[in-house]
Amino acid sequence: RGLGKTATDDDLKDLFSDVGPIRRAFVVTDKETSTPGSESGASNSGNRSCRGYGFVQFALKEDADKASQIKKNVTLHGKKLIVEPARRRQRKPLDSEDHGDEDGEAEGEADK
């Protein structure tokens, strides 16, 4: 958390590459700030504003655990970042009227 609007996937890769091998790194972008000509679904190449956070997936769990300690006080583009392990979002309980399917998911609901 704490990424500036101009942060890119490559910024994250560069920042965390010294911790260990990275499988994937990406910033979460705002669809509303897309500029004309930007490709839909493409990784952030500067055409969309970063929403202030991103994710880095390491090849080894040990490296992921290490990253939050090694990068505790890191800055990127002059902004101090909060580096912490990702947590799964908890699902909202279904309304009493919305019974969902047999897997417990409401129709049309999907994890983001």
Side-chain angles (χ1 to χ4, degrees):
R1 293 186 321 205
L3 293 170
K5 291 188 179 291
T6 61
T8 66
D9 299 350
D10 288 336
D11 288 335
L12 287 182
K13 289 175 191 170
D14 292 343
L15 186 63
F16 287 93
S17 63
D18 63 331
V19 176
I22 294 174
R23 280 194 184 149
R24 183 176 176 212
F26 65 96
V27 297
V28 178
T29 58
D30 187 352
K31 293 177 186 174
E32 299 299 318
T33 58
S34 179
T35 57
S38 64
E39 297 177 24
S40 176
S43 72
N44 183 16
S45 60
N47 292 330
R48 294 183 179 182
S49 293
C50 174
R51 292 187 64 189
Y53 62 99
F55 297 91
V56 177
Q57 182 181 29
F58 291 91
L60 301 172
K61 183 185 183 318
E62 298 82 37
D63 291 336
D65 295 337
K66 217 171 32 170
S68 60
Q69 292 303 314
I70 292 174
K71 300 297 183 176
K72 195 173 198 172
N73 294 309
V74 71
T75 61
L76 180 65
H77 302 296
K79 295 190 67 136
K80 184 177 178 185
L81 304 185
I82 297 170
V83 179
E84 56 190 16
R87 295 179 301 250
R88 289 198 182 271
R89 291 189 342 187
Q90 291 184 340
R91 290 178 177 239
K92 296 180 196 173
L94 297 173
D95 279 347
S96 58
E97 294 178 17
D98 187 358
H99 302 289
D101 61 17
E102 60 255 10
D103 292 332
E105 289 189 354
E107 192 173 327
E109 181 181 3
D111 289 340
K112 293 183 181 180

PDB file of all heavy atoms in Angstrom, residues 2-31:
ATOM      1  N   GLY A   2       0.316   2.321  -0.498  1.00  0.00           N
ATOM      2  CA  GLY A   2       1.029   3.577  -0.502  1.00  0.00           C
ATOM      3  C   GLY A   2       1.675   3.921  -1.829  1.00  0.00           C
ATOM      4  O   GLY A   2       2.392   4.914  -1.921  1.00  0.00           O
ATOM      5  N   LEU A   3       1.434   3.119  -2.858  1.00  0.00           N
ATOM      6  CA  LEU A   3       2.023   3.396  -4.169  1.00  0.00           C
ATOM      7  C   LEU A   3       1.433   4.672  -4.760  1.00  0.00           C
ATOM      8  O   LEU A   3       0.253   4.953  -4.590  1.00  0.00           O
ATOM      9  CB  LEU A   3       1.740   2.240  -5.134  1.00  0.00           C
ATOM     10  CG  LEU A   3       2.409   0.907  -4.824  1.00  0.00           C
ATOM     11  CD1 LEU A   3       1.839  -0.188  -5.724  1.00  0.00           C
ATOM     12  CD2 LEU A   3       3.907   1.014  -4.996  1.00  0.00           C
ATOM     13  N   GLY A   4       2.263   5.416  -5.471  1.00  0.00           N
ATOM     14  CA  GLY A   4       1.798   6.607  -6.171  1.00  0.00           C
ATOM     15  C   GLY A   4       1.031   6.246  -7.432  1.00  0.00           C
ATOM     16  O   GLY A   4       1.106   5.112  -7.921  1.00  0.00           O
ATOM     17  N   LYS A   5       0.325   7.189  -7.982  1.00  0.00           N
ATOM     18  CA  LYS A   5      -0.503   6.953  -9.170  1.00  0.00           C
ATOM     19  C   LYS A   5       0.295   6.521 -10.393  1.00  0.00           C
ATOM     20  O   LYS A   5      -0.238   5.885 -11.285  1.00  0.00           O
ATOM     21  CB  LYS A   5      -1.306   8.200  -9.504  1.00  0.00           C
ATOM     22  CG  LYS A   5      -2.391   8.501  -8.496  1.00  0.00           C
ATOM     23  CD  LYS A   5      -3.264   9.639  -8.982  1.00  0.00           C
ATOM     24  CE  LYS A   5      -4.366   9.964  -8.026  1.00  0.00           C
ATOM     25  NZ  LYS A   5      -5.396   8.956  -7.923  1.00  0.00           N
ATOM     26  N   THR A   6       1.592   6.841 -10.424  1.00  0.00           N
ATOM     27  CA  THR A   6       2.403   6.501 -11.598  1.00  0.00           C
ATOM     28  C   THR A   6       3.169   5.188 -11.445  1.00  0.00           C
ATOM     29  O   THR A   6       3.908   4.810 -12.353  1.00  0.00           O
ATOM     30  CB  THR A   6       3.411   7.631 -11.904  1.00  0.00           C
ATOM     31  OG1 THR A   6       4.280   7.790 -10.785  1.00  0.00           O
ATOM     32  CG2 THR A   6       2.690   8.933 -12.218  1.00  0.00           C
ATOM     33  N   ALA A   7       2.999   4.485 -10.333  1.00  0.00           N
ATOM     34  CA  ALA A   7       3.709   3.219 -10.115  1.00  0.00           C
ATOM     35  C   ALA A   7       3.305   2.186 -11.169  1.00  0.00           C
ATOM     36  O   ALA A   7       2.159   2.145 -11.604  1.00  0.00           O
ATOM     37  CB  ALA A   7       3.418   2.680  -8.721  1.00  0.00           C
ATOM     38  N   THR A   8       4.272   1.369 -11.590  1.00  0.00           N
ATOM     39  CA  THR A   8       4.029   0.347 -12.616  1.00  0.00           C
ATOM     40  C   THR A   8       4.407  -1.036 -12.108  1.00  0.00           C
ATOM     41  O   THR A   8       5.075  -1.182 -11.078  1.00  0.00           O
ATOM     42  CB  THR A   8       4.850   0.639 -13.887  1.00  0.00           C
ATOM     43  OG1 THR A   8       6.236   0.507 -13.561  1.00  0.00           O
ATOM     44  CG2 THR A   8       4.562   2.015 -14.442  1.00  0.00           C
ATOM     45  N   ASP A   9       4.013  -2.040 -12.869  1.00  0.00           N
ATOM     46  CA  ASP A   9       4.380  -3.424 -12.572  1.00  0.00           C
ATOM     47  C   ASP A   9       5.903  -3.556 -12.501  1.00  0.00           C
ATOM     48  O   ASP A   9       6.436  -4.201 -11.589  1.00  0.00           O
ATOM     49  CB  ASP A   9       3.850  -4.371 -13.649  1.00  0.00           C
ATOM     50  CG  ASP A   9       2.334  -4.358 -13.777  1.00  0.00           C
ATOM     51  OD1 ASP A   9       1.649  -3.774 -12.923  1.00  0.00           O
ATOM     52  OD2 ASP A   9       1.829  -4.945 -14.752  1.00  0.00           O
ATOM     53  N   ASP A  10       6.588  -2.939 -13.445  1.00  0.00           N
ATOM     54  CA  ASP A  10       8.054  -3.018 -13.476  1.00  0.00           C
ATOM     55  C   ASP A  10       8.688  -2.374 -12.247  1.00  0.00           C
ATOM     56  O   ASP A  10       9.719  -2.845 -11.762  1.00  0.00           O
ATOM     57  CB  ASP A  10       8.610  -2.384 -14.751  1.00  0.00           C
ATOM     58  CG  ASP A  10       8.343  -3.239 -15.982  1.00  0.00           C
ATOM     59  OD1 ASP A  10       8.152  -4.473 -15.833  1.00  0.00           O
ATOM     60  OD2 ASP A  10       8.327  -2.684 -17.090  1.00  0.00           O
ATOM     61  N   ASP A  11       8.076  -1.311 -11.726  1.00  0.00           N
ATOM     62  CA  ASP A  11       8.587  -0.699 -10.493  1.00  0.00           C
ATOM     63  C   ASP A  11       8.584  -1.716  -9.362  1.00  0.00           C
ATOM     64  O   ASP A  11       9.549  -1.820  -8.601  1.00  0.00           O
ATOM     65  CB  ASP A  11       7.731   0.507 -10.080  1.00  0.00           C
ATOM     66  CG  ASP A  11       7.909   1.718 -10.969  1.00  0.00           C
ATOM     67  OD1 ASP A  11       8.979   1.859 -11.603  1.00  0.00           O
ATOM     68  OD2 ASP A  11       6.968   2.536 -11.032  1.00  0.00           O
ATOM     69  N   LEU A  12       7.505  -2.466  -9.243  1.00  0.00           N
ATOM     70  CA  LEU A  12       7.420  -3.480  -8.182  1.00  0.00           C
ATOM     71  C   LEU A  12       8.448  -4.582  -8.402  1.00  0.00           C
ATOM     72  O   LEU A  12       9.107  -5.020  -7.447  1.00  0.00           O
ATOM     73  CB  LEU A  12       6.016  -4.086  -8.113  1.00  0.00           C
ATOM     74  CG  LEU A  12       4.914  -3.213  -7.524  1.00  0.00           C
ATOM     75  CD1 LEU A  12       3.606  -3.983  -7.486  1.00  0.00           C
ATOM     76  CD2 LEU A  12       5.287  -2.722  -6.143  1.00  0.00           C
ATOM     77  N   LYS A  13       8.575  -5.044  -9.630  1.00  0.00           N
ATOM     78  CA  LYS A  13       9.560  -6.091  -9.930  1.00  0.00           C
ATOM     79  C   LYS A  13      10.959  -5.622  -9.565  1.00  0.00           C
ATOM     80  O   LYS A  13      11.719  -6.352  -8.931  1.00  0.00           O
ATOM     81  CB  LYS A  13       9.506  -6.474 -11.409  1.00  0.00           C
ATOM     82  CG  LYS A  13       8.267  -7.240 -11.789  1.00  0.00           C
ATOM     83  CD  LYS A  13       8.223  -7.481 -13.286  1.00  0.00           C
ATOM     84  CE  LYS A  13       6.864  -8.010 -13.698  1.00  0.00           C
ATOM     85  NZ  LYS A  13       6.694  -8.041 -15.142  1.00  0.00           N
ATOM     86  N   ASP A  14      11.308  -4.402  -9.962  1.00  0.00           N
ATOM     87  CA  ASP A  14      12.631  -3.862  -9.658  1.00  0.00           C
ATOM     88  C   ASP A  14      12.843  -3.715  -8.155  1.00  0.00           C
ATOM     89  O   ASP A  14      13.916  -4.031  -7.634  1.00  0.00           O
ATOM     90  CB  ASP A  14      12.831  -2.501 -10.331  1.00  0.00           C
ATOM     91  CG  ASP A  14      12.901  -2.591 -11.848  1.00  0.00           C
ATOM     92  OD1 ASP A  14      13.119  -3.709 -12.379  1.00  0.00           O
ATOM     93  OD2 ASP A  14      12.722  -1.551 -12.496  1.00  0.00           O
ATOM     94  N   LEU A  15      11.846  -3.251  -7.448  1.00  0.00           N
ATOM     95  CA  LEU A  15      11.953  -3.003  -6.017  1.00  0.00           C
ATOM     96  C   LEU A  15      12.139  -4.286  -5.211  1.00  0.00           C
ATOM     97  O   LEU A  15      12.872  -4.306  -4.229  1.00  0.00           O
ATOM     98  CB  LEU A  15      10.705  -2.259  -5.532  1.00  0.00           C
ATOM     99  CG  LEU A  15      10.696  -1.794  -4.091  1.00  0.00           C
ATOM    100  CD1 LEU A  15      11.797  -0.769  -3.844  1.00  0.00           C
ATOM    101  CD2 LEU A  15       9.337  -1.203  -3.742  1.00  0.00           C
ATOM    102  N   PHE A  16      11.482  -5.367  -5.631  1.00  0.00           N
ATOM    103  CA  PHE A  16      11.502  -6.598  -4.848  1.00  0.00           C
ATOM    104  C   PHE A  16      12.413  -7.684  -5.408  1.00  0.00           C
ATOM    105  O   PHE A  16      12.541  -8.750  -4.806  1.00  0.00           O
ATOM    106  CB  PHE A  16      10.077  -7.148  -4.698  1.00  0.00           C
ATOM    107  CG  PHE A  16       9.244  -6.340  -3.753  1.00  0.00           C
ATOM    108  CD1 PHE A  16       8.447  -5.308  -4.212  1.00  0.00           C
ATOM    109  CD2 PHE A  16       9.274  -6.598  -2.391  1.00  0.00           C
ATOM    110  CE1 PHE A  16       7.690  -4.542  -3.351  1.00  0.00           C
ATOM    111  CE2 PHE A  16       8.520  -5.848  -1.512  1.00  0.00           C
ATOM    112  CZ  PHE A  16       7.726  -4.811  -1.991  1.00  0.00           C
ATOM    113  N   SER A  17      13.064  -7.449  -6.521  1.00  0.00           N
ATOM    114  CA  SER A  17      13.871  -8.501  -7.155  1.00  0.00           C
ATOM    115  C   SER A  17      15.056  -8.950  -6.298  1.00  0.00           C
ATOM    116  O   SER A  17      15.520 -10.082  -6.438  1.00  0.00           O
ATOM    117  CB  SER A  17      14.364  -8.039  -8.527  1.00  0.00           C
ATOM    118  OG  SER A  17      15.219  -6.925  -8.387  1.00  0.00           O
ATOM    119  N   ASP A  18      15.525  -8.105  -5.385  1.00  0.00           N
ATOM    120  CA  ASP A  18      16.647  -8.497  -4.540  1.00  0.00           C
ATOM    121  C   ASP A  18      16.235  -9.431  -3.402  1.00  0.00           C
ATOM    122  O   ASP A  18      17.078 -10.033  -2.750  1.00  0.00           O
ATOM    123  CB  ASP A  18      17.359  -7.264  -3.978  1.00  0.00           C
ATOM    124  CG  ASP A  18      16.483  -6.422  -3.076  1.00  0.00           C
ATOM    125  OD1 ASP A  18      15.245  -6.419  -3.269  1.00  0.00           O
ATOM    126  OD2 ASP A  18      17.023  -5.757  -2.180  1.00  0.00           O
ATOM    127  N   VAL A  19      14.932  -9.595  -3.177  1.00  0.00           N
ATOM    128  CA  VAL A  19      14.452 -10.486  -2.113  1.00  0.00           C
ATOM    129  C   VAL A  19      14.498 -11.936  -2.572  1.00  0.00           C
ATOM    130  O   VAL A  19      14.872 -12.832  -1.820  1.00  0.00           O
ATOM    131  CB  VAL A  19      13.014 -10.106  -1.683  1.00  0.00           C
ATOM    132  CG1 VAL A  19      12.474 -11.089  -0.653  1.00  0.00           C
ATOM    133  CG2 VAL A  19      12.985  -8.688  -1.147  1.00  0.00           C
ATOM    134  N   GLY A  20      14.143 -12.187  -3.824  1.00  0.00           N
ATOM    135  CA  GLY A  20      14.130 -13.535  -4.371  1.00  0.00           C
ATOM    136  C   GLY A  20      13.416 -13.549  -5.709  1.00  0.00           C
ATOM    137  O   GLY A  20      12.880 -12.521  -6.149  1.00  0.00           O
ATOM    138  N   PRO A  21      13.390 -14.721  -6.364  1.00  0.00           N
ATOM    139  CA  PRO A  21      12.734 -14.831  -7.670  1.00  0.00           C
ATOM    140  C   PRO A  21      11.241 -14.483  -7.582  1.00  0.00           C
ATOM    141  O   PRO A  21      10.547 -14.932  -6.681  1.00  0.00           O
ATOM    142  CB  PRO A  21      12.920 -16.294  -8.052  1.00  0.00           C
ATOM    143  CG  PRO A  21      14.000 -16.814  -7.169  1.00  0.00           C
ATOM    144  CD  PRO A  21      13.990 -15.984  -5.933  1.00  0.00           C
ATOM    145  N   ILE A  22      10.792 -13.676  -8.535  1.00  0.00           N
ATOM    146  CA  ILE A  22       9.402 -13.217  -8.557  1.00  0.00           C
ATOM    147  C   ILE A  22       8.649 -13.947  -9.662  1.00  0.00           C
ATOM    148  O   ILE A  22       9.103 -14.002 -10.794  1.00  0.00           O
ATOM    149  CB  ILE A  22       9.353 -11.694  -8.792  1.00  0.00           C
ATOM    150  CG1 ILE A  22       9.970 -10.978  -7.602  1.00  0.00           C
ATOM    151  CG2 ILE A  22       7.928 -11.222  -9.047  1.00  0.00           C
ATOM    152  CD1 ILE A  22      10.114  -9.489  -7.795  1.00  0.00           C
ATOM    153  N   ARG A  23       7.502 -14.501  -9.308  1.00  0.00           N
ATOM    154  CA  ARG A  23       6.627 -15.126 -10.311  1.00  0.00           C
ATOM    155  C   ARG A  23       5.812 -14.068 -11.045  1.00  0.00           C
ATOM    156  O   ARG A  23       5.622 -14.138 -12.246  1.00  0.00           O
ATOM    157  CB  ARG A  23       5.649 -16.093  -9.638  1.00  0.00           C
ATOM    158  CG  ARG A  23       6.228 -17.412  -9.320  1.00  0.00           C
ATOM    159  CD  ARG A  23       5.119 -18.377  -8.981  1.00  0.00           C
ATOM    160  NE  ARG A  23       5.699 -19.633  -8.572  1.00  0.00           N
ATOM    161  CZ  ARG A  23       5.155 -20.452  -7.710  1.00  0.00           C
ATOM    162  NH1 ARG A  23       3.994 -20.152  -7.167  1.00  0.00           N
ATOM    163  NH2 ARG A  23       5.755 -21.569  -7.394  1.00  0.00           N
ATOM    164  N   ARG A  24       5.301 -13.108 -10.277  1.00  0.00           N
ATOM    165  CA  ARG A  24       4.399 -12.117 -10.847  1.00  0.00           C
ATOM    166  C   ARG A  24       4.370 -10.887  -9.955  1.00  0.00           C
ATOM    167  O   ARG A  24       4.400 -11.005  -8.737  1.00  0.00           O
ATOM    168  CB  ARG A  24       3.009 -12.735 -10.920  1.00  0.00           C
ATOM    169  CG  ARG A  24       1.958 -11.905 -11.545  1.00  0.00           C
ATOM    170  CD  ARG A  24       0.665 -12.706 -11.638  1.00  0.00           C
ATOM    171  NE  ARG A  24      -0.373 -11.848 -12.155  1.00  0.00           N
ATOM    172  CZ  ARG A  24      -1.644 -11.954 -11.832  1.00  0.00           C
ATOM    173  NH1 ARG A  24      -2.039 -12.886 -11.003  1.00  0.00           N
ATOM    174  NH2 ARG A  24      -2.525 -11.137 -12.344  1.00  0.00           N
ATOM    175  N   ALA A  25       4.311  -9.726 -10.554  1.00  0.00           N
ATOM    176  CA  ALA A  25       4.165  -8.473  -9.806  1.00  0.00           C
ATOM    177  C   ALA A  25       3.247  -7.561 -10.606  1.00  0.00           C
ATOM    178  O   ALA A  25       3.391  -7.437 -11.815  1.00  0.00           O
ATOM    179  CB  ALA A  25       5.521  -7.818  -9.590  1.00  0.00           C
ATOM    180  N   PHE A  26       2.291  -6.954  -9.942  1.00  0.00           N
ATOM    181  CA  PHE A  26       1.395  -6.039 -10.641  1.00  0.00           C
ATOM    182  C   PHE A  26       0.811  -5.007  -9.693  1.00  0.00           C
ATOM    183  O   PHE A  26       0.642  -5.263  -8.511  1.00  0.00           O
ATOM    184  CB  PHE A  26       0.261  -6.791 -11.359  1.00  0.00           C
ATOM    185  CG  PHE A  26      -0.685  -7.509 -10.443  1.00  0.00           C
ATOM    186  CD1 PHE A  26      -1.875  -6.910 -10.049  1.00  0.00           C
ATOM    187  CD2 PHE A  26      -0.401  -8.790  -9.999  1.00  0.00           C
ATOM    188  CE1 PHE A  26      -2.755  -7.578  -9.206  1.00  0.00           C
ATOM    189  CE2 PHE A  26      -1.272  -9.469  -9.164  1.00  0.00           C
ATOM    190  CZ  PHE A  26      -2.456  -8.859  -8.766  1.00  0.00           C
ATOM    191  N   VAL A  27       0.556  -3.832 -10.241  1.00  0.00           N
ATOM    192  CA  VAL A  27      -0.156  -2.803  -9.501  1.00  0.00           C
ATOM    193  C   VAL A  27      -1.620  -2.868  -9.919  1.00  0.00           C
ATOM    194  O   VAL A  27      -1.943  -3.249 -11.039  1.00  0.00           O
ATOM    195  CB  VAL A  27       0.421  -1.389  -9.755  1.00  0.00           C
ATOM    196  CG1 VAL A  27       1.853  -1.293  -9.284  1.00  0.00           C
ATOM    197  CG2 VAL A  27       0.305  -0.985 -11.201  1.00  0.00           C
ATOM    198  N   VAL A  28      -2.491  -2.522  -8.995  1.00  0.00           N
ATOM    199  CA  VAL A  28      -3.920  -2.491  -9.281  1.00  0.00           C
ATOM    200  C   VAL A  28      -4.220  -1.116  -9.859  1.00  0.00           C
ATOM    201  O   VAL A  28      -3.851  -0.094  -9.281  1.00  0.00           O
ATOM    202  CB  VAL A  28      -4.739  -2.762  -8.009  1.00  0.00           C
ATOM    203  CG1 VAL A  28      -6.232  -2.674  -8.291  1.00  0.00           C
ATOM    204  CG2 VAL A  28      -4.382  -4.140  -7.447  1.00  0.00           C
ATOM    205  N   THR A  29      -4.848  -1.115 -11.034  1.00  0.00           N
ATOM    206  CA  THR A  29      -5.088   0.142 -11.734  1.00  0.00           C
ATOM    207  C   THR A  29      -6.565   0.513 -11.742  1.00  0.00           C
ATOM    208  O   THR A  29      -7.441  -0.332 -11.541  1.00  0.00           O
ATOM    209  CB  THR A  29      -4.585   0.067 -13.189  1.00  0.00           C
ATOM    210  OG1 THR A  29      -5.229  -1.013 -13.857  1.00  0.00           O
ATOM    211  CG2 THR A  29      -3.083  -0.117 -13.242  1.00  0.00           C
ATOM    212  N   ASP A  30      -6.814   1.769 -11.988  1.00  0.00           N
ATOM    213  CA  ASP A  30      -8.158   2.325 -12.017  1.00  0.00           C
ATOM    214  C   ASP A  30      -8.657   2.361 -13.451  1.00  0.00           C
ATOM    215  O   ASP A  30      -8.111   3.083 -14.282  1.00  0.00           O
ATOM    216  CB  ASP A  30      -8.111   3.727 -11.424  1.00  0.00           C
ATOM    217  CG  ASP A  30      -9.479   4.345 -11.254  1.00  0.00           C
ATOM    218  OD1 ASP A  30     -10.482   3.761 -11.723  1.00  0.00           O
ATOM    219  OD2 ASP A  30      -9.553   5.421 -10.649  1.00  0.00           O
ATOM    220  N   LYS A  31      -9.696   1.622 -13.752  1.00  0.00           N
ATOM    221  CA  LYS A  31     -10.263   1.586 -15.105  1.00  0.00           C
ATOM    222  C   LYS A  31     -10.781   2.952 -15.533  1.00  0.00           C
ATOM    223  O   LYS A  31     -10.799   3.277 -16.703  1.00  0.00           O
ATOM    224  CB  LYS A  31     -11.408   0.577 -15.175  1.00  0.00           C
ATOM    225  CG  LYS A  31     -10.967  -0.840 -14.993  1.00  0.00           C
ATOM    226  CD  LYS A  31     -12.149  -1.766 -15.000  1.00  0.00           C
ATOM    227  CE  LYS A  31     -11.711  -3.164 -14.660  1.00  0.00           C
ATOM    228  NZ  LYS A  31     -12.840  -4.067 -14.512  1.00  0.00           N
TER     229      LYS A  31
END
